[in-house]
Amino acid sequence: MNFELSSEQKEIKDLAFKFAKNEMLPHAAHYDEKGELPFDILKKAWELGLVNTCIPVEFGGTGFSTLDSILITESLSYGCLGMNTAIMANDLALLPIVIGGNDEQKKRFLTPFTESYKMAAFCLTEPGNGSDAAGIKTTIKDEGDHYLVNGQKMWITNAGFADLFTVYGTYDSGLKHKGISAIVIEKDTPGIEIGKPEKKMGHSCSDTRSVTFKNVKVPKENLLGKLGDGWKIAMKTLDHSRPMVAASAVGGAQCSFDYAAKYSTERNQFGKPLSGHQGIQFMLAEMAMNIEAARLLVYKSAWLLDQGQKNTQLASSAKAFSADIFMKVATDAVQIYGGYGYSREYPVEKLMRDAKLIQIYEGTSQIQRLVIAKEVISTL
Amino acid sequence: MNIFVCVKQVPDTETKVTPNGDGTFIETNSIKWIMNPYDEFAVEQALLLKAAVAGSTVTVVRVGSVQDTEALRTALAMGADEAVLVESEDNLDSYMIAKSLKGGIEKSGKTPDIIFTGKQAIDDDCLQVPQLLAQMLEMPSVSVVVGFEHADGKVTLKREIEGGATEVYEVSAPVLVACNKGLNTPRYASLPGIMKAKRKPLQQLSLGDVGVSADDRRIKYSNFQLPPEKPPGKKFDAMDEGNQASVVAEVVGLLRNEAKVI
């Protein structure tokens, strides 16, 4: 067993971390306050190859392993969870094409993302269906020479600026998850209505909206796989994307910890620094051990996938554990800062708001536990 | 054009430095190494010059230990073409480093038209390797450079001097340019750059290969120590009006007799 990253992986991580610290972190509070996408920063990240890490070499991408890409996600999230959400949402939308698309589709849809900075949106959740993804109401109907898409999608990241939408719908709702299909819709296709930006608790600089498809005619060659392949594609996408989201929680938790630990050595109470009090020491120790445990779980869940092994259970474990400890670590970071922690003048308040979303999107912490339980019980 | 850049690998600026057991150097086991920040300006300027002069190559040279080659890999990932590493301990003195760099440059098989370095390394802050190296190679050098222009074989350099003034030099190649902050904005090594760097040539030499021996040592480190801890300051309570006069007298007395500043 070897816990050492390769020299290449260390360099990748260092570059992403340097970028996060120099280009993202100093501007995170500003864009959080304004609720605006920082296009300059995102474009710069794209220029350095930090965006769309899932695109294979054959189609102009970097061809990174899952472990490589989560090292980038972890580092970028240290800089700003909201900016990372905008970056990660691209992977989430492009992964179904990488997983379920044919070469022609990969060339058509993926390669443009390697030529200039573009955004993509993953459209699964609906107003009435979040955790119960198999109950999708959006329909994809075969009309002979094209597919007709109707339905509404909710909480869609990057929706207002996306060049393409990866949309899940059903061709026969009676078939439940076996009816689900995935299709790529380009932004200029008539019938797409983009909602107003949602006002969110955190990740404020990322763009979140509803998207409505009204009689949208989509060319047949945009369907990923066959009708009914959508569920399989979505599940495989999640095996890859859950470690990514988990990695973002580790990055955010590390950032919260670093702030709180540093502050605890600077702030004096009762004649000594906070870090000299046992009550604070226990909190710092708890934070440090949970972050390291989460990191190891996340790395292993990614490594398993790279070895071609099934990682469903560990991907969910990593996602649930990291999200939950991030929430706890960020809350404790605010606690250590005391009154200052509750103020927007200090950085940990934003981290606490950002942490909450990680327990919700990409499968809630509760859904992850259902997945883990199902995997565990199935082996009995 | 044969462009050379000399880089040093230094401890990350956030490193907590401790002397090693026998005091001959610092503890290097858990240090995270980075490229000397001033050298980043040197690499960037070399890459800008390469882009401006067709057919140029950038060779980056480093003297130091081989365990971690962060600085060279970063330079290659930023866009340098090849690298020369002269393997040695990390605690050579300036003279040995300059002589080793000279040897490394010569062994590369290319005659330098221009050499870029940082103006100083942020670890030992000796500020003399660029001048020593230029002297050994019998070429002019200009240090603390904040402006660089190259046209018709002539190099125009702006150099910062004390008081905020600037000196302007016109030099003909070959020349050594020691770079300062403000000269340019160093690029990041991109991810494709990092992948490409793996396949770029790296020539590895020993001190013997470049004609440097223990006899070249001018300075031997013998007793690294941390600076003494600062004693805590004195506090005076003058909030109470009754004791203000006596506190003032006490403070004035201490400033005069102990601190000897008035």
Side-chain angles (χ1 to χ4, degrees), chain A residues 150-222:
Chain A
N150 274 295
Q152 196 188 5
K153 295 291 178 181
M154 199 66 191
W155 316 124
I156 304 306
T157 306
N158 290 351
F161 304 91
D163 270 49
L164 64 80
F165 300 85
T166 305
V167 182
Y168 289 86
T170 177
Y171 77 97
D172 180 353
S173 60
L175 293 173
K176 297 271 171 155
H177 62 270
K178 283 180 184 154
I180 292 173
S181 311
I183 198 160
V184 180
I185 306 182
E186 285 164 294
K187 73 163 178 191
D188 294 326
T189 319
I192 305 177
E193 285 173 20
I194 309 287
K196 286 201 190 88
E198 302 288 348
K199 293 194 172 114
K200 308 187 295 292
M201 177 194 266
H203 296 237
S204 309
C205 77
S206 72
D207 182 70
T208 316
R209 302 166 193 250
S210 65
V211 182
T212 310
F213 300 96
K214 276 190 185 160
N215 291 322
V216 179
K217 280 188 187 177
V218 187
K220 284 226 142 169
E221 58 270 23
N222 286 21

Side-chain angles (χ1 to χ4, degrees), chain A residues 242-376:
Chain A
R242 280 179 176 154
M244 269 184 112
V245 177
S248 78
V250 174
Q254 185 68 54
C255 184
S256 312
F257 172 79
D258 287 353
Y259 275 126
K262 184 153 185 292
Y263 183 77
S264 77
T265 63
E266 290 164 355
R267 166 100 169 157
N268 284 303
Q269 291 291 283
F270 304 105
K272 53 182 174 182
L274 294 184
S275 60
H277 296 277
Q278 207 176 42
I280 302 293
Q281 288 174 1
F282 284 170
M283 290 168 84
L284 291 173
E286 196 83 22
M287 292 158 110
M289 73 186 180
N290 274 324
I291 292 169
E292 195 54 29
R295 181 176 287 123
L296 291 176
L297 197 47
V298 173
Y299 287 10
K300 191 177 176 192
S301 71
W303 177 85
L304 270 181
L305 193 62
D306 290 335
Q307 303 307 307
Q309 297 183 43
K310 191 168 153 65
N311 74 335
T312 306
Q313 184 188 331
L314 272 199
S316 281
S317 302
K319 161 70 170 68
F321 187 76
S322 308
D324 292 351
I325 69 105
F326 180 20
M327 194 66 240
K328 177 83 169 73
V329 167
T331 307
D332 283 350
V334 171
Q335 192 69 21
I336 288 172
Y337 269 78
Y340 294 101
Y342 202 64
S343 156
R344 289 209 176 174
E345 293 286 308
Y346 289 80
V348 286
E349 174 267 351
K350 171 184 182 287
L351 283 156
M352 186 173 165
R353 285 185 286 114
D354 287 346
K356 191 65 219 172
L357 183 56
I358 315 288
Q359 288 182 305
I360 297 171
Y361 72 12
E362 203 72 3
T364 63
S365 288
Q366 289 69 35
I367 286 293
Q368 305 304 340
R369 283 169 173 82
L370 291 183
V371 173
I372 297 164
K374 193 179 156 203
E375 293 289 320
V376 170

Side-chain angles (χ1 to χ4, degrees), chain A residues 7-8 11-12 14-15 18 21-23 48-50 64 72, chain B residues 14 32 40 70 73-74 77 188-192 194-195 198:
Chain A
S7 66
E8 206 167 63
E11 280 176 77
I12 292 169
D14 282 355
L15 164 66
K18 199 169 161 189
K21 260 190 139 172
N22 297 342
E23 310 291 333
L48 292 174
L50 297 167
F64 280 146
I72 294 172
Chain B
E14 285 168 20
K32 179 171 160 33
E40 290 189 21
E70 188 66 31
R73 281 189 282 118
T74 304
Y188 288 96
S190 72
L191 290 183
I194 289 173
M195 312 303 255
K198 292 271 141 195

